[in-house]
Amino acid sequence: MQKYRSIPLFTLILMVIWVSFAQTTPDTLISIQLQSGDHTGSFEVSQQDSSCLYGTSNGDDWRTLYSTDAALKDDEVSTVLLLIPNTTEAESGSSNFFLSVGFGTYDSPSYFEYILDPQNSSGSGNITVQKDGSHATLSITGQTKAGEHLSATITCNNVLEVSGKPKALSELGELRFAPDNASATGAFSLSIGSKTYQGQTASEATCIPNAFGEGDSTFAYGYYVDNYDSFDIYIRDLEAAKQGTSDFGFSINTFYLVYRPGEGSGSLKTTQTDNKLTITVDATSPEGIPVTATISCLIE
């Protein structure tokens, strides 16, 4: 499972407001019970810093990520990932979530994941969120596709929240990107309405599969240079994007929304040769501004 090596879509602001406090109670506590399967039993893991993020993508989404680099036994929890697209909906119970619980050292032959992903017919289950200010308790029950019964409780003593709504693309002025990199390994061409921008990139651009570490097929692209404009793309399923997908997010300067599912219209397609990825986007922002982009980068 990858740690944060880059800033994924809509989350730059979290790096500004992230504050850690010395405390006796961990910010994140995760309790897991498996009633059947090879890992039947009760387990508990914690993180001193918060891994409970709210509103980082659409203003109402949730993400909790736990992972460790330590070498673990096959019966020890090494990874936990929870994604909720609509947290408010989950306050009264929802089956719209993704949960992965991994045992053993990640990337080892014995690593094993239990997955609940009801929306994609991978198991069944329900999640309930009780949120009170910066505290939250999330309760999950379900059954994996293989029939293992799983329940979990995630206690968040410090929820990191971004509550501001994205700004309209029509409010965005003229963009200013950094000069071309002499050691370029990638490039971008971006058209917003009648304005076109292009550049060559190297370390300014990050191109990361499994961006949230869940080990499925997520992908994040980020272009950042200090004192210049930036943009991000998030793809939920990189494999599906090879055939074309509308399940992606695109923002400029973190706050300005180009497209995300349910807001605007758009399609994205990827092609890959060796470790070079090309992303093609054709979108219309919620207020009707056409945006096209072609981006190439080296996958990390």
Side-chain angles (χ1 to χ4, degrees):
M1 177 170 286
Q2 292 177 305
K3 301 295 186 298
Y4 299 114
R5 294 179 295 164
S6 170
I7 305 173
L9 183 63
F10 296 121
T11 61
L12 180 61
I13 192 171
L14 290 176
M15 301 300 104
V16 178
I17 66 173
W18 189 292
V19 180
S20 297
F21 298 94
Q23 53 192 347
T24 56
T25 303
D27 274 358
T28 309
L29 180 65
I30 304 173
S31 300
I32 300 159
Q33 296 81 40
L34 277 159
Q35 288 81 38
S36 57
D38 292 340
H39 299 86
T40 299
S42 298
F43 309 87
E44 186 172 274
V45 293
S46 64
Q47 287 189 163
Q48 197 63 37
D49 293 330
S50 178
S51 59
C52 299
L53 310 181
Y54 172 71
T56 61
S57 179
N58 63 17
D60 192 40
D61 62 301
W62 185 282
R63 177 164 61 98
T64 294
L65 170 64
Y66 166 85
S67 65
T68 177
D69 287 329
L72 300 177
K73 298 178 181 178
D74 292 348
D75 60 352
E76 293 181 300
V77 175
S78 58
T79 63
V80 178
L81 175 74
L82 171 66
L83 301 174
I84 311 173
N86 300 293
T87 306
T88 300
E89 176 185 87
E91 290 177 358
S92 56
S94 172
S95 62
N96 189 7
F97 70 96
F98 173 92
L99 175 70
S100 168
V101 178
F103 284 82
T105 303
Y106 185 76
D107 276 345
S108 71
S110 59
Y111 177 77
F112 188 86
E113 278 184 301
Y114 293 89
I115 292 176
L116 300 179
D117 188 6
Q119 297 299 302
N120 290 303
S121 302
S122 182
S124 59
N126 185 77
I127 185 166
T128 302
V129 178
Q130 295 178 314
K131 185 173 178 294
D132 182 11
S134 61
H135 295 262
T137 302
L138 301 92
S139 302
I140 305 129
T141 59
Q143 184 174 333
T144 69
K145 190 173 184 179
E148 297 100 346
H149 292 272
L150 182 154
S151 60
T153 300
I154 300 176
T155 303
C156 302
N157 293 308
N158 180 23
V159 178
L160 300 178
E161 181 173 344
V162 178
S163 57
K165 293 184 178 180
K167 297 180 181 179
L169 194 61
S170 57
E171 300 176 19
L172 185 65
E174 189 77 20
L175 295 179
R176 180 171 168 263
F177 294 111
D180 289 347
N181 193 308
S183 303
T185 56
F188 70 87
S189 176
L190 173 65
S191 294
I192 305 173
S194 60
K195 300 175 182 178
T196 298
Y197 309 90
Q198 58 186 12
Q200 293 184 322
T201 61
S203 59
E204 303 91 342
T206 54
C207 199
I208 302 177
N210 307 133
F212 287 164
E214 59 265 43
D216 55 5
S217 194
T218 59
F219 173 87
Y221 173 92
Y223 170 90
Y224 292 101
V225 183
D226 287 345
N227 302 315
Y228 290 93
D229 291 293
S230 64
F231 60 93
D232 301 92
I233 292 176
Y234 169 70
I235 304 171
R236 184 172 176 85
D237 189 338
L238 184 58
E239 187 66 27
K242 294 178 181 179
Q243 306 301 319
T245 183
S246 60
D247 192 1
F248 69 98
F250 192 170
S251 71
I252 296 175
N253 291 344
T254 302
F255 300 103
Y256 294 91
L257 177 64
V258 174
Y259 169 82
R260 66 183 176 210
E263 297 189 58
S265 60
S267 62
L268 176 150
K269 190 172 184 179
T270 63
T271 56
Q272 184 174 343
T273 303
D274 296 325
N275 66 334
K276 182 178 181 180
L277 186 75
T278 300
I279 307 166
T280 305
V281 178
D282 186 356
T284 301
S285 73
E287 68 269 45
I289 298 175
V291 178
T292 60
T294 301
I295 299 161
S296 63
C297 58
L298 295 182
I299 291 180
E300 297 187 7

